Amino acid sequence: MKLLKPSWVSHNGKPIFSVDIHPDGTKFATGGQGEDSGKVMIWNMAPVLREEDEKNENIPKMLCQMDNHLACVNCVRWSNNGLYLASGGDDKLVMVWKRAAFIGPSTVFGSSSKLANVEQWRCVTILRNHTGDVMDVAWSPHDVWLASCSVDNTIVIWNARKFPEMVTCLRGHTGLVKGLTWDPVGKYIASQADDHSLKVWRTMDWQLETNITKPFSECGGTTHVLRLSWSPDGQYLVSAHAMNNSGPTAQIVERDGWKTNMDFVGHRKAVTVVKFNPKIFKKKQKNGGSPKPSCPYCCCAVGSKDRSLSVWLTSLKRPLVVIHDLFDKSIMDISWTLTGLGILVCSMDGTVAYLDFSLDELGDPLNEEEKNTIHQNIYGKSLAITSTEAQLSTTIIENPEMLKYQQERQNAAQAGSGPGGAGLESTAPKLNSVMNGESLEDIRKNLLKKQVETRTADGRRRITPLCIAQLDTGVKQSLLLTSASKIEPMKALDSRFTERSKATPGVTAVISSTAGLTPLDRLKWRTSNKEETSSDSEDKMAAINKNLSFTKRKADLLMDGGEVVEKRKKGRPRKDKMATPISQPFTQPSRAAATPAPVAALKLPTPSIQKAFSLQVSMEPSVFLEVENDVSVVAGSKLSQLRCSRDGREWDTLLPSSVVTAAGSSDVIAVACEDRMLSVFSSCGRRLLPAIQLATPMSALHCSSHFVMALTAGARLSVWDVQKQTALVKNESLLTIMSGADTTVSQSLLTQQGVPVIGLSSGKSYCFNSSLETWTLIADKGDSLVQCADFRSCLPSHDAPVSSGPLAVMQGRNLNAGRLASRLSSTPHHLQQSMTLAFLENQLAAALTLLSAQEYRYWLLIYARFLVNEGSEYRLRELCKELLGPVHKSAATAWEPTTLGLRKRELLRELLPVIGQNLRFQRLFTEYQEQLELLRNK
Amino acid sequence: MCLSRFSASVTMAKVQVLNVAVLDNPSPFGNPFQFEITFECMEDLPEDLEWKIIYVGSAESEEYDQTLDSVLVGPVPAGRHMFVFQADAPNTGLIPESDAVGVTVVLITCTYRGQEFIRIGYYVNNEYTDPELRENPPIKPDYTQLQRNILASNPRVTRFHINWEGCAERMEDSENVDPASNSMLPPSCLPGKAPPLGLLPDNSMDCL
């Protein structure tokens, strides 16, 4: 262990009440008494850590000092992300500071380097609510809240995301509240007060969890602060000043049942501050030592009014080290470095001490992963302390499965960012030069001539200054020291430098110093702007490329779909059982048919009679149809021959009239003849139905599975289930859907489930829903929703096959969903969100109507992903509820366990990993996961 | 009357002088003074800054101080600005003859709302360039032969805390300004209206 007291860290001898090391370890803040005010100072850590840096004149020691607090500063705390510094003082105020990157001199003109504010920290918020001195402030894990406590007996929780909003005020203490600590897991906040109590509050409802009084009953209110601390594993809470058998102790409170069986004993006077090392340690593995895994332990530093510091390891009964007489007065605050090996201690005597430990002394710090494992072991569930998503980082992962999905997602995100994926580099605003390319030198040459000078009404000169930069880079400009002039100080004159003229009688001068001027031309004006832009644009390019490759991939997929159709037309066998219904292109309708006609005259084109034709109706098994008309004339009537080849086996039959069109599936073969008769055969050539008489000639005929669809020239549609020998659609008119003037049927098909689909030239596609007995719109190529919906981010990444089914066929390649989305970037997000949602729900409903199970599943996953991404909990919950159904069977429930033959609970099981990707839904995730488990075990 | 402890507000200085370059230096005594001043402003200033150049005629007494000129500088939006402040050479008639040659001081001051917040001082050495005159200076100074040399490398900068937000009456609507103690209340700002310390209400927050 090394010990150092950097004498240069001082508030001019005034007490230092608080110290806190910045999370990045490069600087630390002190708070305490200033001249006539409170003072916050920010110091460079490097000169503390390294002697050569301390000696190097060019390395600044003090980075910034702020005198804004009216009275003594009792506490300074960096936010966990390091962006903010909070300070609380006797002026009842909490101030939140932020690095003002865009403003402030990089060098202080006319001051020596030592006093230069190298960094500018500006007060961004003042939090006013306390009616007494603020004693302690604490940022919650992940900086969601800031807590402050005061001698007004209250604790105020501030919304750190929306300063100065107050979340709540915790009342209950009856004495001065002098210390605060957050549970590292974020479930509790603990406070210690002069009212002989330590209280633990829940963050869920901000109610009191427990009130511990026994160890404090003997305590007198004699310490300035009572800074308690929570162990990094969340298991122990250690209080400041407690008493045991009239001796001062630091009470250990166990999280489990808030038991108070142990304490740290040994200090001669009251304990003022306890601070846990942020790391969890395990015993250092020595060479040749037994590889027996040791129990992880925590490390804790205790400071006392007796001016001594003790450092404890929870694995040892005795302190690791006790340092007496480190200070002349009480220890006020302690701060560990994030590495867990360094510690800064400050005292009422106005000095600061730094202790440096080695790994041999403390042990091996666990990494975050190991820390997580410990949490899992302790809590049975994973309490991820490791920060996750910035927005939802407060949420604790309570479910190991959830954690898994979260981690997978993170890994994916990391992998996606790729090499050189830009982090959040250089957040400082850039200098926006307004010099129009003119060099500063040029400007300076002509400044006197160019500057605008006017006269005010009372005849005074008024100069409009030339704005040379709107924003500052915050880039450090080195102060160039010029050799001191050898002029004999002239006392009579010197006084004149600081005395104000009688016209403005004065306030005492606060800063007075001498230093060399920095010649302006030597200032570093150039910024890294250029580099930044280039790297920016590189990122953009990468993003664009990614998009490009994505769209390309999508196009490929669509192409694949196209190929499928084409292959089938060519009749090449395919090992795909998911036979897409065959679509038959219509011959161009004649003008006459297309002209607006009276209702009755609605006429669909009919295929012309060919001498002979053949077609493949099924690939697996491979079924070919061959039709030859007028093969022979028997008794004055022409006979036509239908030949069928099924897997090499052939059969044929004769028909008494010319065959107009034929269709077939693996199960049935249908032929329509000139005499408006429809005949249906089994795959082996057996006639299944007597000939069906149609009212008008056949326009289109389809077979799929054991269904036969007939669309007649009179624009009427029928579908029969040959197996059950029933009609699914009875001579339904297309009038409803063909209302437009030039609308014609451009496509018709029958799905495997017997759902007829009609595509119109208007781009709309309808199917007839036989249970609702109505036409339903399933696709509209001109629909603005399709154009604008942007769900690309929700598309299955790689594994899932692209949807192929009736819906895809009808929407086909023209499904350019999201294609316009990027062009509509000006569309408000919520609008696009709603459009996408509407589109996806349309797709789902369409898939349902089409009884297309695969497509339903496909869109359901996209839909769920979208809901998860957009955080639409309400809909998501309803969806899950519907899928889960009633847990307990009851006769009254109308819930169907399957939809389209898919087991709903299986679908839910598929959705859970998707839901698990958004931490916000972990409750939902857990809820349904547990219920599914429950049902499975049943 | 509502006496608030937060009636006056002292914030961190809104204007920081980054650099002062002394132009045309050294120069004949009669040449105008030229200072190129670069400053940075943290936020848009509603009022002009007032800059002054004061020539100290004699170390012995302020009586001989000459304000060479004063200019208003504005408008001042947030950002970095520069201007050249040029002022005529001092009126030689107002300088005690015994102080004409030798070291004296020139001051640049800046005030905002009537409160001085920075004072930059330079030593000025006035001497004859002619060795003859240097050896035997005339009793009545010959200003045409004097050279003025401002010791630009060694400015003395003094900063003062002022109330950037203006006067007490105007503080009611300023909610998020940094408060400051009464001790910092510049006497120039509403003298007599600042409450005596002893009479301060304990909880003055109610008044806001």
Side-chain angles (χ1 to χ4, degrees), chain A residues 561-605:
Chain A
E563 266 178 314
V564 170
V565 174
E566 252 157 19
K567 271 180 193 165
R568 281 177 199 186
K569 274 185 190 157
K570 282 178 197 159
R572 252 181 277 152
R574 247 182 78 101
K575 296 235 172 199
D576 190 351
K577 274 198 173 173
M578 234 179 7
T580 323
I582 295 146
S583 57
Q584 266 190 353
F586 279 81
T587 49
Q588 272 300 317
S590 64
R591 266 284 142 206
T595 47
V599 170
L602 191 63
K603 194 172 181 305
L604 298 180

Side-chain angles (χ1 to χ4, degrees), chain A residues 422-437:
Chain A
L424 289 168
E425 286 287 308
S426 163
T427 45
K430 301 292 171 293
L431 181 121
N432 290 343
S433 177
V434 287
M435 294 188 278
N436 295 326

Side-chain angles (χ1 to χ4, degrees), chain A residues 597-611:
Chain A
V599 170
L602 191 63
K603 194 172 181 305
L604 298 180
T606 52
S608 54
I609 299 169
Q610 292 162 285
K611 178 75 179 75

Side-chain angles (χ1 to χ4, degrees), chain A residues 68 70 104 109 444 448 451 460-463 466 468-469 494 496-497 499-500 514 517-518 525, chain B residues 17 19 36 40 48 50 65 69-70 72 80 82 84 86 116 119 123 152 154 159-160 178 180-181:
Chain A
N68 296 33
L70 292 174
F109 170 68
R444 293 184 64 200
L448 186 61
Q451 71 186 15
R460 299 191 55 189
R461 289 171 68 192
R462 184 176 191 239
I463 296 170
L466 181 76
I468 54 172
D494 280 355
R496 305 295 307 282
F497 286 129
E499 276 169 19
R500 287 198 190 191
T514 316
L517 273 178
T518 313
W525 283 101
Chain B
V17 174
N19 191 54
E36 179 203 270
E40 196 164 63
D48 287 354
E50 184 181 3
D65 283 5
D69 207 347
S70 93
L72 297 173
R80 197 175 279 184
M82 66 196 300
V84 174
Q86 178 172 306
E116 182 179 327
R119 161 169 295 217
Y123 289 112
N154 193 26
R159 294 180 173 86
F160 307 95
D178 306 347
S181 68

Side-chain angles (χ1 to χ4, degrees), chain A residues 398-438:
Chain A
E398 296 168 342
N399 188 310
E401 293 280 313
M402 183 91 191
L403 179 73
K404 199 178 83 196
Y405 295 127
Q406 282 290 324
Q407 284 168 345
E408 278 171 7
R409 199 179 60 102
Q410 272 176 26
N411 292 344
Q414 276 163 14
S417 66
L424 289 168
E425 286 287 308
S426 163
T427 45
K430 301 292 171 293
L431 181 121
N432 290 343
S433 177
V434 287
M435 294 188 278
N436 295 326
E438 242 184 312

Side-chain angles (χ1 to χ4, degrees), chain A residues 218-232:
Chain A
E218 294 174 61
C219 295
T222 55
T223 58
H224 187 84
V225 289
L226 294 166
R227 304 200 204 271
L228 64 174
S229 180
W230 215 303
S231 68

